[in-house]
Amino acid sequence: MKKLIIVIFTLCFINSVQATEVAVVDFRSALLQSNIGQEAAKEPKQKVAEMDARLKKEQEKLEASAKDLKRDELTLSEDEFNKRRQQLAEHQNQVRAMAANMQQQAKALEQQLIQSLTPKGEAALKSLIEERKLELVLNRQLSLYANADADITDELVKRINKDN
């Protein structure tokens, strides 16, 4: 009787232990590393580079104005000095606003890029899930630890490249 109970318990335990196929993926990274991602990112990267160049030019103007004000500080009347200092502060605020606006535009460009690539990436991921018979796929950024074998990001990049 004791052996029978042990056998039944063992069979129940074996049936309850199932290997769950789990993988992690950095979906955004896979999209951007893929050939279609690299190609699609060329125009947004160019726009961001142009925005950076404009911002740098404005920052250089601001620095030159600040140097000029410092140089002329002793020769200017108090009213003229305060007026130029106020203009410098306004220009500084404009440059900050310009930088913030450009940062928002760059983020929006990236989001548009990701949105346009997502359907192709999802199709490739779905076929990879079916092929590997995965039961759970987690975003790599949300996992505390994942074995290197569990990370399928590189496989996803290859699949996206293959399918597109």
Side-chain angles (χ1 to χ4, degrees):
M1 184 69 168
K2 192 175 188 180
K3 287 183 181 181
L4 183 60
I5 292 174
I6 291 174
V7 170
I8 292 172
F9 177 74
T10 304
L11 288 174
C12 289
F13 182 73
I14 288 172
N15 286 337
S16 68
V17 176
Q18 290 181 333
T20 302
E21 288 295 320
V22 178
V24 295
V25 67
D26 186 342
F27 190 72
R28 179 187 165 280
S29 176
L31 289 176
L32 295 176
Q33 288 176 20
S34 69
N35 293 339
I36 59 169
Q38 293 290 317
E39 187 62 33
K42 285 181 181 177
E43 186 180 337
K45 282 181 182 178
Q46 183 180 357
K47 287 180 181 179
V48 169
E50 290 169 0
M51 288 188 291
D52 283 342
R54 279 195 316 240
L55 181 61
K56 188 173 184 177
K57 196 175 194 178
E58 286 299 316
Q59 288 172 333
E60 288 171 356
K61 281 184 189 178
L62 185 62
E63 288 175 17
S65 295
K67 284 181 184 178
D68 288 347
L69 182 60
K70 185 168 181 121
R71 182 193 65 219
D72 297 342
E73 180 177 5
L74 297 175
T75 59
L76 294 173
S77 68
E78 188 176 336
D79 288 342
E80 183 63 26
F81 175 75
N82 289 334
K83 180 181 174 187
R84 284 184 52 189
R85 189 171 65 183
Q86 184 177 359
Q87 289 173 341
L88 184 64
E90 288 172 4
H91 190 208
Q92 201 171 27
N93 289 336
Q94 289 172 347
V95 170
R96 282 189 193 127
M98 182 182 198
N101 186 28
M102 287 179 177
Q103 192 173 28
Q104 287 176 342
Q105 287 178 13
K107 192 177 268 190
L109 287 171
E110 182 183 3
Q111 286 175 344
Q112 288 172 353
L113 176 65
I114 296 295
Q115 278 183 331
S116 70
L117 297 173
T118 294
K120 292 177 181 177
E122 285 176 343
L125 181 59
K126 184 177 180 181
S127 68
L128 195 58
I129 289 169
E130 290 170 358
E131 180 182 297
R132 289 191 56 180
K133 296 183 171 100
L134 297 172
E135 295 175 27
L136 180 65
V137 178
L138 299 172
N139 187 333
R140 185 170 61 189
Q141 288 79 8
L142 298 177
S143 64
L144 294 176
Y145 170 78
N147 187 328
D149 294 336
D151 191 339
I152 61 170
T153 303
D154 291 338
E155 285 181 66
L156 181 57
V157 171
K158 290 175 187 170
R159 180 62 57 100
I160 293 170
N161 290 342
K162 183 181 133 194
D163 293 350
N164 298 292

